[in-house]
Amino acid sequence: MGEKTLTRMDLSEAVFREVGLSRNESAQLVESMLEHMSDALVRGEQVKISSFGTFSVREKSARVGRNPKTGEEVPIQPRRVLTFRPSHLMKDRVAIGNKRK
C-alpha cells in the first residue's frame, strides 16, 4: 500500500486544475472550507459530506483505565473525541480499491 499523504496543498492544486481559480484563490477556498468544518465540529455539530461520510464529536465520560505494563488503575478524564463514519459508497470504493492489488 502506498505511503502517500493527501495534503492541503494537494487539495488546493486539485481545485486549481479542476475549477480554474488561481492557486492563491484555490488555497483560500480549501482553507475556508476546512475552517467551516472545524468550527462546526467545535460547536458540536455534525459535518456530513454526501458520498463520503460524517464527522461528529462524541462525549466520552470519565472512567478507570489500566496501565498495561504495571496493571495500575489510572483515572481517565472525560473528553470530547472526533469520530468519522464513512458512507456506504466510500466503504465500497475502498473495498474495490483493495481488490485491485
Side-chain angles (χ1 to χ4, degrees):
M1 187 177 268
E3 293 297 319
K4 173 89 171 91
T5 301
L6 183 67
T7 64
R8 290 175 186 216
M9 185 60 77
D10 296 332
L11 293 172
S12 297
E13 189 65 26
V15 170
F16 168 72
R17 284 192 312 267
E18 295 291 324
V19 179
L21 296 174
S22 72
R23 280 194 165 88
N24 193 28
E25 290 171 329
S26 298
Q28 288 175 347
L29 178 66
V30 169
E31 287 299 321
S32 176
M33 184 185 71
L34 293 173
E35 189 172 327
H36 283 298
M37 290 172 63
S38 297
D39 290 346
L41 290 166
V42 167
R43 290 189 302 268
E45 300 173 16
Q46 283 190 346
V47 175
K48 187 177 281 191
I49 302 173
S50 180
S51 302
F52 186 75
T54 303
F55 296 89
S56 59
V57 176
R58 225 178 80 202
E59 302 284 338
K60 294 188 92 174
S61 57
R63 62 187 175 93
V64 175
R66 191 173 305 276
N67 181 331
K69 203 170 202 176
T70 64
E72 177 186 353
E73 288 188 350
V74 180
I76 298 174
Q77 300 298 317
R79 63 195 188 281
R80 295 172 60 171
V81 295
L82 179 64
T83 62
F84 174 71
R85 182 169 179 170
S87 72
H88 290 292
L89 292 173
M90 180 58 67
K91 286 181 183 179
D92 293 344
R93 271 187 85 177
V94 169
I96 290 169
N98 288 340
K99 291 177 184 173
R100 289 184 188 158
K101 295 184 181 198

